Amino acid sequence: MPKQETLVGSIYEDIYDRAPGIIAASTGPNHVFTYANESYCRLVGRRDLVGKRVSDAMPELAAQGVLGLLDEVFRTGEPFVGDRVPMEFHIDGQVGLTRKYVSFIYQPLRGSDGAITGLFCEGYDATIEVIATERLEALQEEFSHAARVNAMGMMAATLAHELNQPLTAISSYANACVRLLDQREPDAAHLTTAMHAIDEAAQRAGNIIRIMRDLTKRGGTTKSEFPLHSVVSESIRLVCAGGCSAGEIAEQVSADLTIYGNRTQILQVLVNLIRNACDAGSEDSNRITVSAWRDDAKVIVSVRDSGRGLSAEAARNVFTWTESNKNGGTGLGLAICRTILDAHHGHIWLEDSGPGGSDFRFLLPGGSAKGGELSDL
């Protein structure tokens, strides 16, 4: 424990004067300053401290409980440690109080007989540290707020983009039902088919909304093993119901080829890719082929068209969310595909694109079933 008589007039005084941290000492129960180094004087904003009681030199500290702390340490001999304690000082030449934050320790000074004779203070001005922390927390809150707003915007844009297709399908089939019912002798078989298609599209819309809701609650979606062929067939029906202009869409997917993932989300990926393929060319010239094959434990799916292809610039940013030039487009489709496949531990890429068309592919974990030979279904 420091001794009072070694603080002033000793070889240590010069070291204390040059120390970057605050150092001060007082004597007696009235806490009369016997020493204060340069850092301490800068902290409290005054220099005429030595020989004065703390209560006289800095009366503003009494109302802040600092004098009570000094009394307690002097009485009990138990040190007190403060971490970033807010203190307000009357700084010479300034109006009002200036708040600073101080990390320090008060500990007793003892004479040769062990009796407490004074107090010793050491520590540092933590004001810059506290301000930096507060600014960092404020920035983090701003970033968190911006992230929440961005997530909400992304969710709204995703819903708008993904619900557009099933709603379009529902509208198309509903109009078909009206036309069938207007006939003198309605075709019951076609009417039943259209009603089933409406139900299928409505369920898909409901699944999209449910998945988005689950993502906000749990941050994940339910995954299972399912046949890829059924999802490809459903996605083609949905795209065609939405007015796909492709002259022909060919399926080349084995009936026993299975994948592991969220069925509704994989359906979203396929619908987006097939719909983009439809938009790539005219009805007379565009041919679309959806094929799939097993690659070890993975399954690769290809959606190829014979349309216009992409420019080099478009190909570079094809999976980034940008404003779309398509009439009614949002620019979200391929960005959503990438997000979904990333969450499935898969990935998507543009295998080829040119005057002869484009080939988009994605890779997913395969199911337990083994894929057979591809057949033109």
Side-chain angles (χ1 to χ4, degrees), residues 350-362:
L350 177 60
E351 177 72 14
D352 182 42
S353 187
S358 300
D359 183 8
F360 282 89
R361 296 183 181 182
F362 64 89

Side-chain angles (χ1 to χ4, degrees), residues 26-307:
S26 64
T27 185
N30 292 326
H31 316 301
V32 177
F33 276 108
T34 57
Y35 177 76
N37 73 346
E38 180 65 23
S39 295
Y40 189 95
C41 291
R42 285 198 304 270
L43 171 73
V44 302
R46 66 203 71 185
R47 298 183 177 280
D48 55 339
L49 299 175
V50 175
K52 293 183 178 180
R53 295 186 300 179
V54 172
S55 59
D56 294 332
M58 294 179 288
E60 67 273 19
L61 295 184
Q64 301 173 52
V66 176
L67 294 182
L69 290 177
L70 297 177
D71 291 339
E72 184 70 12
V73 175
F74 190 90
R75 182 180 64 81
T76 64
E78 293 294 328
F80 177 85
V81 177
D83 181 38
R84 300 182 180 186
V85 177
M87 294 184 180
E88 295 184 333
F89 301 99
H90 278 300
I91 305 297
D92 286 345
Q94 296 185 14
V95 178
L97 294 171
T98 300
R99 168 165 289 198
K100 296 187 178 183
Y101 296 86
V102 189
S103 293
F104 61 89
I105 180 172
Y106 290 142
Q107 53 185 326
L109 290 169
R110 299 179 183 273
S112 56
D113 59 355
I116 296 175
T117 59
L119 299 179
F120 180 76
C121 172
E122 60 180 326
Y124 67 96
D125 184 353
T127 305
I128 294 177
E129 186 178 294
V130 171
I131 291 174
T133 300
E134 290 176 347
R135 288 178 178 173
L136 178 60
E137 290 174 350
L139 283 174
Q140 289 174 335
E141 177 58 31
E142 289 181 14
F143 285 136
S144 296
H145 175 71
R148 289 193 295 270
V149 171
N150 184 62
M152 291 173 64
M154 182 66 175
M155 184 178 299
T158 300
L159 283 172
H161 182 278
E162 295 304 299
L163 288 176
N164 180 65
Q165 199 284 325
L167 292 176
T168 300
I170 290 171
S171 177
S172 297
Y173 281 119
N175 288 331
C177 289
V178 171
R179 290 194 299 271
L180 287 170
L181 290 172
D182 284 341
Q183 295 177 3
R184 180 170 300 178
E185 295 182 4
D187 187 329
H190 284 119
L191 187 60
T192 300
T193 300
M195 294 299 292
H196 281 308
I198 290 174
D199 179 64
E200 186 179 67
Q203 288 188 35
R204 178 173 180 252
N207 286 337
I208 291 171
I209 294 172
R210 185 160 47 253
I211 286 173
M212 296 301 293
R213 182 188 62 199
D214 289 346
L215 283 172
T216 62
K217 288 182 178 179
R218 301 193 303 269
T221 56
T222 303
K223 297 178 182 178
S224 61
E225 183 179 340
F226 56 89
L228 178 61
H229 170 67
S230 65
V231 182
V232 172
S233 298
E234 184 178 343
S235 64
I236 291 174
R237 288 197 304 272
L238 287 167
V239 173
C240 289
C244 177
S245 60
E248 184 179 357
I249 303 178
E251 298 179 46
Q252 295 180 354
V253 181
S254 172
D256 61 352
L257 187 61
T258 61
I259 58 176
Y260 181 79
N262 181 276
R263 190 181 188 281
T264 300
Q265 288 188 329
I266 301 307
L267 183 66
Q268 285 179 259
V269 172
L270 283 163
V271 166
N272 276 317
L273 291 178
I274 298 171
R275 187 168 54 195
N276 284 350
C278 287
D279 293 338
S282 65
E283 183 175 354
D284 296 332
S285 62
N286 195 14
R287 175 181 170 86
I288 299 169
T289 303
V290 182
S291 57
W293 59 91
R294 186 173 293 279
D295 182 12
D296 294 329
K298 305 289 186 179
V299 171
I300 296 176
V301 181
S302 166
V303 178
R304 173 180 282 278
D305 64 72
S306 58

Side-chain angles (χ1 to χ4, degrees), residues 292-360:
W293 59 91
R294 186 173 293 279
D295 182 12
D296 294 329
K298 305 289 186 179
V299 171
I300 296 176
V301 181
S302 166
V303 178
R304 173 180 282 278
D305 64 72
S306 58
R308 295 179 297 273
L310 298 174
S311 66
E313 181 180 358
R316 281 195 300 271
N317 303 310
V318 70
F319 298 109
T320 302
W321 181 11
T322 57
E323 290 295 329
S324 174
N325 292 323
K326 291 194 301 183
N327 185 28
T330 64
L332 264 174
L334 291 174
I336 291 172
C337 292
R338 184 186 63 182
T339 300
I340 290 173
L341 291 166
D342 285 348
H344 280 74
H345 305 292
H347 65 276
I348 186 171
W349 68 97
L350 177 60
E351 177 72 14
D352 182 42
S353 187
S358 300
D359 183 8
F360 282 89

